[in-house]
């Protein structure tokens, strides 16, 4: 296969947002990342595993080009010191262990500095997807199916069948292929919609190519590693530590907080007046979106903050139909935005892969996510999950 990842900009924007904060504040942290395929009926052949290994090697041969660094340097919240670091940075293939020793036939683990390993997640998942769909199916038929469905979706927005307010494309790690994602972003950028605005993509490379906004702030790894990587910290205060270090890095810039790493209810204990004022909004990624949104708006009102000045960003397995329903529900009560992934970047005549690559250790100790949806977490040590849950239970019952 031709090289899949051809630029280090081909990653999600939140990797660079977090990367800068990691570089300035946690450059000595070390993490382990583990790949998992959640599809029980999917098997990666030996040929697929070898191709994936080869593609990761090719990715590890890349470096940032000067024009790419100049582009990053123009982003308001990116600092020159981080751009200088990226000028020297490149992926390290020695950080990877890639074997067939998994039930699905593919095992990938990356271990090293957080600065390095954080940057591997998105390109690796994009590589795994593209290799799988090229080798398991007739790719040209899949691409034709993808384009037909994409054109239909665009027609729905142009005709006003669905209204999405502001929405962005978040599908790099789950995309059918680089060709498919570029097609989607280009067509969405050129279309004229009725009461919907395509505001950008998480793919920094495509944002640069098409002159649109790169979208993304933080992911669960930020809260997990900042809050649980220092073994002296009580992990039930992970959100407080994560928000505090984020504000130290960015102030009022680049502020959309992720709420569900150790449940939204626990998040709200730390998302008090200062942080709720500084952050422009919050992102939903698990649990009932309407119940979550009602809870967030009530919290803002309780703090004396006008919810109409804040944004609820929804990003959990969205379709246009779901997004339209959420906009109707919250319209007039706050700003509403959507980050839509697989539905845009990998909707074909066959099911998409449900694959993840999650941080499983930080500084030698297990880390875990306890989200608002059972089953979305990933941890190798059940005892640690029980410990984290006990910490959360104690805090929710005693720390009023």
């Amino acid at each position: 296969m031709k090289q899949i990842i051809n630029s280090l900009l081909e990653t999600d924007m939140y990797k660079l947002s977090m990367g800068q904060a990691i570089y300035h504040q946690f450059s000595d942290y070390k993490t382990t990342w583990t790949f998992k395929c959640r599809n029980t009926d999917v098997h990666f052949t030996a040929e697929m595993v070898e191709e994936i290994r080869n593609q990761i090697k090719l990715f590890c041969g890349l470096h940032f080009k000067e024009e790419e660094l100049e582009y990053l340097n123009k982003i308001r919240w990116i600092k020159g010191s981080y751009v200088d670091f990226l000028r020297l940075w490149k992926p390290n293939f020695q950080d990877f262990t890639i074997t067939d020793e998994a039930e699905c036939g593919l095992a990938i683990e990356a271990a090293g500095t957080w600065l390095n390993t954080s940057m591997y997640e998105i390109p690796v998942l994009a590589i795994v997807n593209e290799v799988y769909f090229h080798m398991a199916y007739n790719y040209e038929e899949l691409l034709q199916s993808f384009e037909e469905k994409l054109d239909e979706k665009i027609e729905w927005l142009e005709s006003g069948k669905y209204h999405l307010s502001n929405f962005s494309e978040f599908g790099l790690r789950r995309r059918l292929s680089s060709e498919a994602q570029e097609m989607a972003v280009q067509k969405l950028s050129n279309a004229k919609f009725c009461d919907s605005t395509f505001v950008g993509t998480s793919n920094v490379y495509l944002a640069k190519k098409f002159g649109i906004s790169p979208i993304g702030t933080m992911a669960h790894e930020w809260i997990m590693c900042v809050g649980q990587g220092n073994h002296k910290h009580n992990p039930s205060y992970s959100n407080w530590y994560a928000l505090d270090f984020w504000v130290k890095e960015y102030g009022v810039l680049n502020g959309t907080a992720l709420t569900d790493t150790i449940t939204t209810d626990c998040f709200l204990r730390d998302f008090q007046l200062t942080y709720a004022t500084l952050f422009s909004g919050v992102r939903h990624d698990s649990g009932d979106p309407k119940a979550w949104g009602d809870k967030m708006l009530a919290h803002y009102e309780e703090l004396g903050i006008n919810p109409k000045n804040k944004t609820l960003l929804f990003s959990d397995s969205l379709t246009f139909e779901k997004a339209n329903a959420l906009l109707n529900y919250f319209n007039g009560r706050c700003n509403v935005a959507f980050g839509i992934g697989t539905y845009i970047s990998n909707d074909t005549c066959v099911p998409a892969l449900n694959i993840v690559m999650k941080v499983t250790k930080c500084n030698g100790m297990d880390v875990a996510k306890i989200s608002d949806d059972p089953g979305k977490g990933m941890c190798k040590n059940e005892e640690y999950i029980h410990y984290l849950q006990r910490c959360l239970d104690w805090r929710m019952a005693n720390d009023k």
Side-chain angles (χ1 to χ4, degrees):
M1 290 177 59
K2 64 181 181 180
Q3 186 165 344
I4 293 171
I5 302 296
N6 293 281
S7 167
L8 292 182
L9 282 186
E10 200 151 13
T11 190
D12 281 339
M13 188 69 224
Y14 65 25
K15 286 296 179 178
L16 298 174
S17 302
M18 293 184 295
Q20 176 170 283
I22 294 166
Y23 173 66
H24 287 141
Q25 302 181 75
F26 301 99
S27 60
D28 61 335
Y29 273 32
K30 294 185 176 180
T31 56
T32 299
W33 291 71
T34 306
F35 169 84
K36 182 177 182 179
C37 178
R38 293 171 173 161
N39 305 78
T40 56
D41 58 342
V42 165
H43 182 77
F44 293 88
T45 64
E47 292 77 14
M48 291 177 186
V49 175
E50 186 56 35
E51 182 63 36
I52 289 165
R53 183 182 290 109
N54 180 57
Q55 289 289 341
I56 292 174
K57 277 185 182 177
L58 292 172
F59 159 69
C60 289
L62 297 172
H63 58 83
F64 280 101
K65 300 172 184 175
E66 280 303 315
E67 61 165 313
E68 296 171 336
L69 295 169
E70 289 172 12
Y71 171 79
L72 293 177
N73 205 36
K74 292 176 183 176
I75 296 174
R76 185 181 181 190
W77 46 263
I78 289 187
K79 301 171 184 176
S81 57
Y82 183 53
V83 174
D84 283 344
F85 163 75
L86 292 179
R87 183 172 283 110
L88 303 173
W89 183 81
K90 69 186 298 292
N92 179 18
F93 187 69
Q94 301 306 313
D95 290 341
F96 288 93
T97 302
I98 306 165
T99 72
D100 60 1
E101 296 173 3
E103 191 172 337
C104 69
L106 173 64
I108 305 174
E109 193 158 270
T113 63
W114 190 14
L115 271 171
N116 274 10
T117 52
S118 175
M119 293 286 278
Y120 300 157
E121 175 196 1
I122 306 302
V124 166
L125 292 175
I127 285 168
V128 171
N129 266 298
E130 188 154 348
V131 168
Y132 177 78
F133 286 109
H134 266 275
M135 298 182 75
Y137 296 96
N138 182 319
Y139 171 73
E140 294 304 323
E141 289 182 0
L142 291 187
L143 187 63
Q144 181 180 347
S145 167
F146 172 84
E147 186 168 14
E148 290 170 356
K149 288 173 175 282
L150 174 64
D151 288 342
E152 183 179 38
K153 294 185 183 84
I154 289 173
E155 193 279 326
W156 289 341
L157 296 184
E158 289 177 333
S159 68
K161 178 179 180 179
Y162 296 119
H163 303 278
L164 304 188
S165 182
N166 295 324
F167 75 101
S168 52
E169 186 275 328
F170 271 20
L172 172 51
R173 63 191 176 131
R174 300 253 173 94
R175 69 188 185 184
L176 172 65
S177 65
S178 56
E179 180 182 16
Q181 189 185 22
E182 183 165 332
M183 179 197 298
V185 171
Q186 184 172 25
K187 288 193 175 194
L188 289 167
S189 299
N190 293 334
K192 304 296 182 185
F193 299 132
C194 176
D195 296 328
S196 299
T197 303
F198 179 62
V199 297
T201 174
S202 66
N203 184 327
V204 187
Y205 173 80
L206 292 180
K208 175 181 180 294
K209 182 169 184 174
F210 294 109
I212 57 178
S213 296
I215 308 293
T217 52
M218 69 177 70
H220 297 101
E221 69 175 276
W222 175 255
I223 299 96
M224 292 164 68
C225 293
V226 172
Q228 301 170 42
N230 184 332
H231 305 164
K232 297 174 184 176
H233 289 172
N234 180 332
S236 66
Y237 290 84
S238 293
N239 290 303
W240 185 89
Y241 289 111
L243 294 169
D244 190 56
F245 282 108
W246 195 264
V247 169
K248 286 178 182 176
E249 186 68 31
Y250 293 114
V252 297
L253 298 176
N254 203 24
T256 301
L258 183 59
T259 72
D260 70 330
T261 306
I262 50 172
T263 75
T264 294
D265 287 339
C266 187
F267 170 84
L268 293 179
R269 294 290 175 93
D270 295 313
F271 197 60
Q272 295 301 313
L273 185 59
T274 297
Y275 295 133
T277 301
L278 289 174
F279 282 80
S280 59
V282 287
R283 177 160 76 93
H284 171 267
D285 199 54
S286 66
D288 183 291
K290 291 181 179 178
W292 173 87
D294 286 338
K295 185 180 293 185
M296 292 307 311
L297 298 187
H299 185 72
Y300 280 127
E301 290 171 349
E302 186 179 336
L303 295 174
I305 296 173
N306 185 351
K308 292 184 179 180
N309 297 326
K310 297 297 180 179
T311 298
L312 300 185
L313 171 60
F314 295 90
S315 63
D316 182 28
S317 304
L318 290 176
T319 64
F320 286 175
E321 184 177 6
K322 290 179 182 177
N324 186 86
L326 288 169
L327 179 62
N328 289 339
Y329 185 78
F330 290 106
N331 198 26
R333 301 164 62 191
C334 61
N335 299 314
V336 181
F338 304 100
I340 304 177
T342 309
Y343 181 70
I344 290 177
S345 71
N346 198 354
D347 185 14
T348 71
C349 55
V350 303
L353 290 181
N354 186 355
I355 56 174
V356 294
M357 192 167 178
K358 299 288 189 183
V359 59
T360 50
K361 284 184 179 292
C362 185
N363 296 330
M365 194 168 91
D366 297 286
V367 293
K369 178 176 75 166
I370 299 178
S371 74
D372 296 329
D373 264 345
K376 288 199 80 170
M378 181 174 166
C379 180
K380 293 183 175 182
N381 188 344
E382 284 293 324
E383 288 186 12
Y384 180 77
I385 296 176
H386 296 324
Y387 161 71
L388 177 57
Q389 187 65 61
R390 290 196 305 273
C391 291
L392 290 178
D393 292 343
W394 185 92
R395 183 181 180 192
M396 298 305 290
N398 295 280
D399 182 14
K400 303 298 184 183

